Structure formats: structure tokens, C-alpha cells
Amino acid sequence: MFGFYRFASVCPNLKVADTAFNTAEIIRCGKLAQAEGAAVTVFPELCITGYTCSDLFHQELLLKNAYAGLQKIAEAFADSDMIVAVGLPLRMFGRLYNCAAFVQRGQLLAVTPKIHLPNQREFYEKRHFNSGRDLLNSADRITWDFPGFGEVLVTNFIRSGVSSVGVLSAADASSALGGCVAESAGSEICFGVELCEDLWTPMPPSGELALAGANVILNLSASDALVGKGDYRRNLVMNQSARCMAAYVYSSAGVQESTTDMVFSGHLMISENGSMLAESKTYGRDSEIIYADVDVQRLNMQRLSEGSFQDFDATPYFATAAEFGPLPEVTELNRFICSTPFVPGNIDARDANCKEIFNIQCAGLAKRLEASHSKRAVVGLSGGLDSTLALLVIAETFKLLNRPASEILVLTMPGFGTTNRTKNNAVEMANLLGVELRTVSIKDACMQHFSDIGHDPAVLNVTYENVQARERTQILMDVANKEGGIVVGTGDLSEIALGWSTYNADHMSMYAVNCDIPKTLVRHVVAWYADRARNFFAADVAAGSADETAAFKSADALSAVLRDILDTPVSPELLPADANGQIAQKTESILGAYEIHDFYLYHFAKYGAEPAKMLFLAKHAFAGLYPDEELERCLTLFVRRFFTQQFKRSCIPDGPKVGTISLSPRADWRMPSDASFGDWLANSLNASFRE
């Protein structure tokens, strides 16, 4: 469903050289994984015999029993679409290989020999095994007759055999589609295979496998436990999954291996493009299984739009592939879906992100001020979140440039919807930061303009609202010209995505410091500053420009103002206040919660997710927080507004990129302003039924 496949990584209890016991335990664990809906279940390296058999690998009985165990495992899953990957020693061409074997529906699909054999310190695999390099580098299709199974492909690449031309061998590539390879939706998942040491080398096979089309790497391993090795191993798996833009399913041997020379911890991991989806506790005494639902569809879309995959000529990496049949579908998602993907859940990580974002904003604005030789920075301060963050950035930028706060010019421009709460917060904030503050009422100018264009001011429509927004922008631009400054824009990424701005009004500025920060993250950056207001004011004390007591008193007062701003409903305040003088026009009552729209923006812009999938994910992420009807309403609104408001994004001002998602037409996001959204809208409207 929507490209999700469930993977299981298993560390089974075993007895060294007891193939009957090990086979039975592998089958038992495999049945548990099958019951959980796993599409692929991966066991450790040499798990049928145990990795630590040493010279017993040269015993005829062990090799025969190991192969018999493989046949029993295949028979046990003859009625299952699940692929089972197990490790065992196999004889081929008069040599012994450390192999991964893959079975499905009672058949042996493929065998992968280990390429890189560790032979230093505690490892001496070359004493027992041959490298599979010559087999896998052969230009011809390598098959071997496995008794009871027939001819089986020896390969490190396995792909779906369903409705697909697929990935061809190098020999066949030139004759297929003029040297090109076609993959249909039926072949969205392809596996590459590594065994343990293969991952630890300077050039892991998984790199070439990824270029050949593998989006999931399976690693059957037996990695011993040493001080610090667990963290290093975890980093290897995460980094390789990121480099390959793939999922990486890793299974390793456990504590029941021989402890004559080594101890094994049973480290199990499933990583997706650098993120750890599931990881086991180590040193368990019993069999352990971890599960994760991998989003293969998302991986495929990322490869189209991110990284360096497009830079490689894929021809040298065409791989002869074994084929597998249909895999079990995920019917109920077993995966954490973050409802605020722009905001890290970990507090330390979130604070670190906020600091980095704020530094990027300040550095970008500092460069623009220097390059434009601007005497002043001019900003409109409404008492709302976005303009608050913009002013904080300006204030710290001027400190960075050793320029006085008095060169910052703040304008409050009360209109028909301005409330005392927002105006007072704006005034108090400006005073505490020591900037120049001017108040310019726009009411008379707007009334004159209503008269000029023949608009009845009692009609509270879009014209009524936009006249105010354009009047404010005109004042800002003209004052900036008069003062030799630049207008600093305040709009955020969420507003840009939804087009929630007035064209050629708050849509426009001379440098937009918030343009890459979504609303959900703006809130956290302001809160981060509020928590550290004393730290920022301490710079004035250190410079001798302020008394410590007075500075910290101002910092505490500013922190209180910022917290009240954080508690204020988001609003453009373009419609009159209610009878109690409170904000009547609440943006999220109209559009829906910004956290929902930011969620859709993230999955749409970063991963190219179809609306039906976005809704599917949202229902998991926001379960119990919003009714399905509201998630559907917001999705339809998001799709419609994202497409119809592209004309505003096509001519937005410069601003610093701070994250992986940006809607700048110069750097990241290009689309026609008149593109049809019909297919996307239909997909969103039919999402509930398609699910």
C-alpha cells in the first residue's frame, strides 16, 4: 500500500553446529514474522550452522546438514509470499562460499556469496571460504544446479518479476529499449545483498547495487562486540543507507555463538535513507525480531530529485537479477509518522536546529545589508509571530555588524482590524530592543483609496483586505527609499506555499528572512529565543553598552512579550475585531491548522507523495487530534491553493535557504503558474475510497 513494505530483522537463538535446532528456530521466528505481515525476513550470516564453527566448516556432515536445513526452511514457507533470507555455507564449483540464500514460495530464488572475507586479528574467514568476487563479476549469467531446487542464479541483486522489464544484464542492456531500462510500478522494490564485511570496506558493493536500481540493501552479518563498535556499526548502516538513498536491513549474530574468541551482541537495525527506523536491544539471551515499514515509494522519488544519482552513467551497473513474486502488502502501518516533520521531537536536536536557523538568517541578512550598503533595515511589526521573528533576526544581525539598534526602523501600521493586544506587544517589543519606532495609521489612506476605486468600505471582501495590505507595503517601501534602507520581509514558508499573502503587498520585500521557515518551526524559533533572551542581552553587557541589571530586566520583559505573542491567534488582522476587541479573523479557522498544512507541504514537496498517500499518512500522524473530515478538507484546500498560488512564488524576493525544502523559483521549486491541479485534486477527493 502506497509503497510500504514491512521488513523483519531476526537474531535467532542457536546452537553452534546444531543445524536441526537452528533450522527449527529459524522457521519458528520466520512464522512469527509472517504473522506480522513481513514481506522480507532477514537472518544473520551463517545462521543455519552458526558463524563460529571454525574448521567444522570442512566437515562433510555439517555441509550436508546445512543444505538440508535450507530445504526444510523453503518447505516451511511454501505457502507464503514472504521472502526469507538465511545464511549458510555452500559448495559451488569445487569451492566453499559463505552465502546468503533467499527462498519464497518453497523455491530458492537466488544465492549471494560473500565478497570481502575478513582475515585479520580475530577473523580468519579465508581459511574456510572463497570470495564470491569472480562469480559476481562474471559477464555471463551464473547459475548452479542446487539439488532439490534446480538451477538457481548466483547474484547480489534481486528484483520484482511482476509487470516489469526490470534491470537487465550488461550484455542485454544494449538491445533493450536502445540501451535504456524501463521499470514499471510493479518493480518499485529491488534488493541488493551484502554480507557483513562487505559493508566495512572502502567501496561497499551496495554503492554499485544502488546505482543498478537496488533501493533496499539486505545485510546478513556476524559482527562481534568490541568497546565502541556498536556505535560505529550503527553509523555505518545509517550512513550507507543515506549514501545509497536506500533502506538498509541489517541482521547480526547473537550471544549464543561460541565465545571461545569472541562475543556477538545480536545487533539488529533497519535504516531508511540515514534514519534509524528500528534497532534491537543487544546481548539478548532469547531470539529477537524487529520490524519496520519501509517507504520504498518515497526512496524512489528522492532518487529522482535529490543527491547525485542523476550524475552517474547507469550502464556499467546493470545487474543480472533474480526475480521474486508478489510480496505481502502492508495492511496496517507499523511505523511512527511524525505530525511535525519540520520540527525535531528531541528537545536538544530542536534547540540545535533553531540556533542554526537563526544563525543562517542573521548571516544572510548581514551579507545583504553589506552588499546593498543599506543605512537602515525597515520592517513592519504587527505583533504577530512572523514579524516578531524578523525583528529578532534584524536586531541580532545589527549586533553582528557592530551597528547600533537605532539604525533599525520599525513601523506599526494599525488598521481596521488591529487589536490592542497585538499593537501593545509590537510597541513593547520595539522599545525593549532599543530600535526606532514609528506609528503610521493606514485608516485614512485606505478610506481615501476606497473612495478612489469606488469600493464601499462596509463590504468586507478581498478588496477591503488587500487595500490595507498594499497600503502598508507602500509605506514600508517609500520609507525605506527615504531612509536609504531595505524592507525586510516577514512572510514564512507556510504562507508562501498556500499563497496566504496579498500579491505585491506583504508578498513583496527587499530581503525575506523567514521565507524558508514553516509556521510550525517559526513558533519554535521564537520560543527558543524567548528561553535565551538573557543570553542575547548579555552581549550588550559585555560590550559595556548596558548595565547588567537593566539589561536582564529588559530581557525578562522581552521574554514575557514573546510568550504572549506565541499565545496570540495567528491572524492578518484585516477584518474588524469582535465586539470584545479581540481578533475576529483567525487564519487557522479559515485554512485549517498550520501543522496539517506543513505536514502536507513536507511530504508533497520533499517526496512527491500523491495526495491519497498524504492523507493516509496524516490519518496516522494526527490520529485522535483531528477528525478525518478536517484532514480531508485541509488536503483539498492545500492542493488547490498550492497550484493556484504558484504565480506569487514565481516572483518572490530573495531570502536564505535554511532547510531541504524551499519554494524559491531560483534555487528549488519551479512549476508553471497555470498548471492544472485536476489530477491532484481528484486524487485527494478519492483518497478515502482508494485507501
Side-chain angles (χ1 to χ4, degrees):
M1 180 186 298
F2 297 118
F4 286 103
Y5 295 90
R6 182 163 300 162
F7 288 83
S9 179
V10 187
C11 178
N13 197 352
L14 60 75
K15 294 180 180 180
V16 178
D18 190 339
T19 58
F21 177 89
N22 299 341
T23 297
E25 186 64 9
I26 289 169
I27 292 172
R28 187 185 73 83
C29 292
K31 291 293 184 181
L32 292 175
Q34 180 183 348
E36 291 294 326
V40 181
T41 299
V42 181
F43 289 86
E45 179 180 10
L46 294 170
C47 58
I48 294 179
T49 59
Y51 176 79
T52 50
C53 287
S54 191
D55 286 356
L56 291 176
F57 285 125
H58 290 161
Q59 290 288 312
E60 180 73 20
L61 183 61
L62 183 72
L63 299 181
K64 285 184 175 180
N65 287 347
Y67 189 76
L70 176 62
Q71 291 178 310
K72 289 180 181 178
I73 293 168
E75 292 168 2
F77 296 97
D79 61 347
S80 173
D81 289 332
M82 180 179 72
I83 293 175
V84 179
V86 294
L88 77 162
L90 285 173
R91 284 179 290 194
M92 292 180 284
F93 309 105
R95 300 179 178 89
L96 188 63
Y97 295 91
N98 177 349
C99 293
F102 299 85
V103 298
Q104 184 189 44
R105 284 278 167 189
Q107 299 299 312
L108 180 59
L109 300 175
V111 168
T112 300
K114 189 173 183 177
I115 298 175
H116 299 285
L117 304 178
N119 211 60
Q120 67 283 338
R121 294 177 181 158
E122 67 266 37
F123 295 102
Y124 41 90
E125 285 191 31
K126 289 183 180 179
R127 180 181 176 93
H128 309 116
F129 301 109
N130 282 80
S131 169
R133 181 180 290 105
D134 292 342
L135 301 180
L136 296 175
N137 287 348
S138 175
D140 300 321
R141 178 182 290 267
I142 298 297
T143 58
W144 186 250
D145 187 31
F146 288 86
F149 293 112
E151 286 195 346
V152 174
L153 188 65
V154 180
T155 183
N156 55 1
F157 195 86
I158 308 171
R159 68 165 173 84
S160 168
V162 183
S163 305
S164 171
V165 173
V167 181
L168 307 180
S169 67
D172 296 336
S174 61
S175 62
L177 303 176
C180 298
V181 171
E183 293 189 16
S184 75
S187 64
E188 67 180 358
I189 183 167
C190 302
F191 304 123
V193 185
E194 293 184 325
L195 282 91
C196 197
E197 184 72 10
D198 294 339
L199 170 64
W200 298 70
T201 62
M203 296 181 64
S206 49
E208 292 191 9
L209 293 171
L211 292 172
N215 45 29
V216 179
I217 307 298
L218 310 177
N219 189 315
L220 288 71
S221 182
S223 182
D224 64 333
L226 298 173
V227 174
K229 191 173 182 179
D231 291 337
Y232 189 85
R233 187 189 301 119
R234 181 185 304 107
N235 289 334
L236 274 180
V237 168
M238 293 174 67
N239 289 339
Q240 193 63 7
S241 73
R243 284 194 193 93
C244 295
M245 280 193 181
Y248 204 104
V249 184
Y250 183 93
S251 174
S252 188
V255 298
Q256 303 299 343
E257 289 283 356
S258 169
T259 58
T260 300
D261 298 304
M262 296 177 283
V263 170
F264 297 83
S265 62
H267 201 172
L268 309 176
M269 292 175 280
I270 303 176
S271 178
E272 179 183 298
N273 195 23
S275 298
M276 188 62 69
L277 298 185
E279 183 175 9
S280 68
K281 296 180 180 179
T282 51
Y283 302 103
R285 305 299 299 173
D286 298 316
S287 296
E288 184 162 5
I289 310 176
I290 63 170
Y291 301 93
D293 292 349
V294 170
D295 192 344
V296 173
Q297 190 179 91
R298 186 170 83 173
L299 291 169
N300 291 339
M301 292 308 300
Q302 282 183 278
R303 287 183 173 185
L304 295 180
S305 60
E306 299 179 20
S308 302
F309 267 78
Q310 313 308 315
D311 294 340
F312 286 86
D313 177 7
T315 305
Y317 303 106
F318 285 117
T320 300
E323 296 183 351
F324 59 83
L327 294 173
E329 292 187 355
V330 170
T331 55
E332 184 175 347
L333 196 60
N334 180 22
R335 173 181 171 133
F336 173 71
I337 304 296
C338 181
S339 61
T340 55
F342 287 104
V343 183
N346 178 274
I347 294 177
D348 291 339
R350 184 167 67 233
D351 287 347
N353 278 16
C354 289
K355 180 180 180 180
E356 185 73 7
I357 289 167
F358 197 79
N359 286 339
I360 292 172
Q361 289 179 283
C362 291
L365 179 58
K367 173 63 177 178
R368 183 51 57 98
L369 288 167
E370 289 177 327
S372 61
H373 304 287
S374 299
K375 297 178 181 178
R376 312 196 73 172
V378 180
V379 65
L381 190 63
S382 67
L385 269 176
D386 293 339
S387 62
T388 293
L389 178 56
L391 179 54
L392 294 174
V393 169
I394 296 169
E396 295 306 318
T397 300
F398 271 67
K399 292 179 185 178
L400 190 67
L401 296 173
N402 295 315
R403 294 177 59 174
S406 58
E407 292 182 359
I408 302 169
L409 179 54
V410 171
L411 280 78
T412 62
M413 295 167 283
F416 304 117
T418 303
T419 60
N420 289 333
R421 181 180 185 180
T422 54
K423 184 177 186 301
N424 291 341
N425 279 337
V427 170
E428 181 70 5
M429 183 180 174
N431 290 335
L432 290 168
L433 289 171
V435 302
E436 181 181 348
L437 174 66
R438 299 181 190 175
T439 299
V440 180
S441 174
I442 65 169
K443 293 180 181 178
D444 291 343
C446 289
M447 293 300 293
Q448 178 61 51
H449 194 64
F450 290 150
S451 176
D452 292 341
I453 65 174
H455 179 75
D456 182 355
V459 179
L460 307 181
N461 59 6
V462 66
T463 301
Y464 178 89
E465 295 185 38
N466 287 352
V467 161
Q468 298 173 70
R470 291 197 175 99
E471 180 60 29
R472 287 183 172 124
T473 301
Q474 176 179 260
I475 292 170
L476 289 169
M477 292 290 182
D478 291 344
V479 169
N481 288 159
K482 181 176 181 292
E483 298 286 340
I486 62 171
V487 175
V488 178
T490 64
D492 63 49
L493 182 66
S494 305
E495 294 179 342
I496 292 171
L498 295 170
W500 194 250
S501 61
T502 299
Y503 190 79
N504 206 31
D506 52 318
H507 155 257
M508 191 51 60
S509 67
M510 297 169 182
Y511 195 71
V513 294
N514 296 337
C515 66
D516 242 31
I517 311 174
K519 186 77 75 178
T520 48
L521 193 50
V522 168
R523 180 174 297 279
H524 284 283
V525 178
V526 172
W528 168 83
Y529 188 103
D531 290 340
R532 292 158 182 79
R534 283 197 170 202
N535 295 344
F536 288 102
F537 275 68
D540 298 332
V541 176
S545 59
D547 172 74
E548 180 175 344
T549 301
F552 286 168
K553 182 178 180 180
S554 295
D556 292 342
L558 177 60
S559 181
V561 171
L562 295 179
R563 297 195 184 286
D564 191 63
I565 291 171
L566 287 165
D567 290 337
T568 303
V570 177
S571 172
E573 291 192 319
L574 295 173
L575 295 178
D578 63 20
N580 298 317
Q582 302 299 312
I583 294 173
Q585 185 184 23
K586 298 178 181 178
T587 302
E588 292 181 292
S589 296
I590 303 168
L591 294 178
Y594 268 115
E595 63 178 348
I596 299 177
H597 287 292
D598 284 357
F599 181 89
Y600 290 147
L601 171 62
Y602 180 85
H603 289 278
F604 180 85
K606 187 171 179 65
Y607 301 121
E610 59 181 299
K613 182 174 183 179
M614 289 155 59
L615 180 60
F616 172 75
L617 295 173
K619 287 181 178 180
H620 284 271
F622 295 106
L625 297 176
Y626 298 99
D628 289 353
E629 294 77 14
E630 177 63 7
L631 295 176
E632 294 167 7
R633 182 185 79 87
C634 288
L635 177 61
T636 301
L637 190 149
F638 172 83
V639 169
R640 187 184 299 274
R641 291 196 67 94
F642 190 89
F643 275 78
T644 61
Q645 301 300 299
Q646 173 61 30
F647 75 99
K648 296 179 183 177
R649 295 192 293 272
S650 295
C651 56
I652 57 176
D654 295 347
K657 180 175 180 177
V658 303
T660 58
I661 295 179
S662 171
L663 297 179
S664 166
R666 295 169 293 279
D668 290 272
W669 189 265
R670 298 178 180 89
M671 65 176 278
S673 298
D674 50 4
S676 172
F677 57 84
D679 286 349
W680 282 264
L681 186 61
N683 186 275
S684 68
L685 292 173
N686 293 329
S688 297
F689 303 102
R690 294 182 56 184
E691 184 180 326

